[in-house]
Amino acid sequence: MKNLVLDISKAAQFVSAGAVEALAPEVKTAQVSLEDGSCPGNDFLGWLHLPSSITPEFLDEVQACADVLRSNCEAIVVAGIGGSYLGARAVIEALGNSFSWLIPSNNPVILFAGNNIGEDYLSELTDYLKDKKFGVINISKSGTTTETALTFRLLKKQCEAQRGKEEARKVIVAITDAKRGAARTCADKEGYTSFIIPDNVGGRFSVLTPVGLLPIACAGFDIRQLVKGATDMEAACGKDVPFEENPAAQYAAIRNCLYASGKKIEIMVNYQPKLHFISEWWKQLYGESEGKDHKGIFPASCDFTTDLHSMGQWIQDGERTIFETVISVEQPNRSLLFPEDEENLDGLNFLAGKRVDEVNKMAELGTRLAHVDGGVPNIRIAIPELNAYYIGQLIYFFEIACGISGNVLGVNPFNQPGVEAYKKNMFALLDKPGYEAESKAIKERLA
């Protein structure tokens, strides 16, 4: 199998000659610090060699649980927020049929909740599930994250009411801490099947743990190929791989070179609608890892060609603080030819007989050329096709490059202290027990 291909040539031309290569020793040091555990956040490095450590027996266990859910549920709700759902959703959306929810299938519908506090959303979800045999995958290390805990409480009650408590136990699965927390206590008390979120794997790096693997298997996709792709990329990006052959090292280097030259925003671009949630997962991975100590590239995303008709003007002619990283799929899974039309009112008969993807590829190439000419550095990541193996490669590539890049930047890539600020204020405003002093202070401030 081929590996993904990284091309930084259209980005390197925007920094001084030799700047990327000059950063290679620092990148090497950053990667070695991951390997020897000397970097900040070294208690969260369990993802580093996770792909190659996953055993066939463990994948069999995950698949067996997925098979039980698949055979007993018309719908499965994944309750989780941030890294507890984005990775799974990214893979499922990338590999699935774009209209799967409209097509009769033996596969259960996979739904995502617990990632917002929208009353309309949750009410509409519970209405949809009223006549469905549904199950729940509750993903939370603590069991007390507000969005997920609120959603799980609603779904647990509804599932038990519709299916009976005994049957509900068979279709509610907990993915949580091994020993501690409300979700672990609930799982043990109720007798749910459960999987462990490793203590040394942070949420945004957890897609290759049961957090991602179980929902992906429930959707009917090949988790063994996903893991194999990640394992092969782990080898391709190892610390002993020379810089000029190591795509993750090169990606980390060019990003930091561009950042130092004033490019503060990275736009993740795709020309394949199925990759939308890969970008959403990537935004959390890099934003939460690098955005601290008043540093970090701001991760944004666009779906092309769609967003060329909304954001294209700004990208072409706006402030030159951006660069683009394009994920390109070399070969689509289907073939569709552009038809000829006798009247040719739209003037497009010159495209007759061409594959739609050929038009898309020329749009990609033309856009990259225009943006480079307009002063936007362009990185290109190409994968041969859209399947579980190459999505596994992409996942590990972005993870290891993120760890290296954060270390080069000089931040702890594995904590997220800023995430707690809003929670403290929210709990104070809701008069949560234990927050009396904070509640008084914030209400005086608002008054």
Side-chain angles (χ1 to χ4, degrees), residues 319-390:
E319 188 176 54
R320 303 295 78 182
T321 54
I322 60 173
F323 66 98
E324 289 178 320
T325 296
V326 178
I327 303 177
S328 183
V329 181
E330 299 283 13
Q331 188 66 244
N333 292 324
R334 294 171 178 254
S335 179
L336 185 65
L337 299 181
F338 200 83
E340 186 166 0
D341 183 83
E342 287 184 7
E343 295 188 14
N344 194 30
L345 296 177
D346 52 19
L348 294 178
N349 270 355
F350 72 98
L351 297 175
K354 293 183 183 293
R355 289 185 64 179
V356 171
D357 189 61
E358 183 179 346
V359 181
N360 197 34
K361 288 294 192 301
M362 293 307 101
E364 176 188 328
L365 179 57
T367 302
R368 291 188 70 224
L369 291 170
H371 287 179
V372 169
D373 289 345
V376 181
N378 256 246
I379 300 165
R380 184 173 186 262
I381 301 166
I383 59 174
E385 58 185 297
L386 204 53
N387 60 26
Y389 177 80
Y390 287 114

Side-chain angles (χ1 to χ4, degrees), residues 38-90:
S38 62
C39 64
N42 52 21
D43 48 344
F44 283 97
L45 294 174
W47 57 273
L48 189 59
H49 295 297
L50 179 62
S52 59
S53 69
I54 296 174
T55 65
E57 292 75 19
F58 177 72
L59 291 176
D60 288 345
E61 183 183 351
V62 173
Q63 188 64 57
C65 180
D67 290 344
V68 170
L69 290 171
R70 284 170 56 80
S71 62
N72 286 281
C73 299
E74 298 169 87
I76 299 169
V77 185
V78 180
I81 195 167
S84 294
Y85 94 99
L86 275 172
R89 186 165 191 178

Side-chain angles (χ1 to χ4, degrees), residues 28-339:
K28 173 77 170 178
T29 299
Q31 185 164 5
V32 169
S33 74
L34 291 172
E35 293 286 352
D36 65 19
S38 62
C39 64
N42 52 21
D43 48 344
F44 283 97
L45 294 174
W47 57 273
L48 189 59
H49 295 297
L50 179 62
S52 59
S53 69
I54 296 174
T55 65
E57 292 75 19
F58 177 72
L59 291 176
D60 288 345
E61 183 183 351
V62 173
Q63 188 64 57
C65 180
D67 290 344
V68 170
L69 290 171
R70 284 170 56 80
S71 62
N72 286 281
C73 299
E74 298 169 87
I76 299 169
V77 185
V78 180
I81 195 167
S84 294
Y85 94 99
L86 275 172
R89 186 165 191 178
V91 176
I92 290 168
E93 297 275 352
L95 300 179
N97 186 298
S98 302
F99 303 95
S100 59
W101 50 283
L102 291 172
I103 301 171
S105 170
N106 293 326
N107 290 324
V109 176
I110 308 297
L111 304 168
F112 295 90
N115 50 68
N116 63 63
I117 319 177
E119 187 166 358
D120 288 345
Y121 182 91
L122 289 171
S123 179
E124 289 161 7
L125 173 65
T126 55
D127 281 349
Y128 171 80
L129 295 171
K130 278 180 180 176
D131 61 348
K132 303 287 190 302
K133 289 185 175 182
F134 74 92
V136 184
I137 301 173
N138 185 41
I139 307 173
S140 176
K141 187 168 277 192
S142 66
T144 58
T145 301
T146 305
E147 295 88 344
T148 305
L150 188 157
T151 299
F152 179 63
R153 183 182 286 203
L154 286 168
L155 294 175
K156 177 178 182 291
K157 294 272 187 188
Q158 184 173 355
C159 188
E160 290 174 347
Q162 290 177 204
R163 306 190 71 156
K165 202 155 187 176
E166 284 303 314
E167 189 178 343
R169 283 194 182 101
K170 299 175 184 177
V171 294
I172 297 177
V173 177
I175 303 177
T176 186
D177 190 87
K179 298 178 181 178
R180 302 179 300 275
R184 168 50 59 197
T185 300
C186 177
D188 291 345
K189 177 176 176 290
E190 299 289 353
Y192 299 149
T193 298
S194 67
F195 292 91
I196 293 168
I197 303 173
D199 284 338
N200 59 356
V201 178
R204 57 190 177 274
F205 290 87
S206 67
V207 63
L208 296 173
T209 73
V211 168
L213 295 176
L214 181 60
I216 292 164
C218 285
F221 300 118
D222 192 338
I223 56 175
R224 292 171 180 82
Q225 280 297 302
L226 185 79
V227 170
K228 186 177 188 321
T231 302
D232 288 351
M233 187 50 52
E234 180 187 328
C237 297
K239 67 179 175 62
D240 296 324
V241 176
F243 177 79
E244 61 273 12
E245 298 173 17
N246 186 328
Q250 291 185 42
Y251 181 55
I254 187 61
R255 293 181 76 254
N256 278 278
C257 284
L258 290 168
Y259 181 61
S261 73
K263 304 300 183 184
K264 306 296 186 182
I265 301 165
E266 180 175 10
I267 303 174
M268 182 61 62
V269 170
N270 70 78
Y271 287 80
Q272 166 56 271
K274 293 173 182 286
L275 292 175
H276 173 83
F277 273 94
I278 291 289
S279 295
E280 294 301 303
W281 168 79
W282 170 87
K283 284 194 290 189
Q284 188 206 359
L285 179 65
Y286 279 79
E288 203 167 68
S289 295
E290 292 189 323
K292 54 202 67 165
D293 302 336
H294 296 171
K295 298 179 184 178
I297 297 166
F298 182 82
S301 64
C302 283
D303 299 322
F304 287 171
T305 59
T306 303
D307 289 339
L308 287 172
H309 296 262
S310 58
M311 293 297 294
Q313 174 62 42
W314 194 97
I315 294 170
Q316 187 70 44
D317 288 338
E319 188 176 54
R320 303 295 78 182
T321 54
I322 60 173
F323 66 98
E324 289 178 320
T325 296
V326 178
I327 303 177
S328 183
V329 181
E330 299 283 13
Q331 188 66 244
N333 292 324
R334 294 171 178 254
S335 179
L336 185 65
L337 299 181
F338 200 83

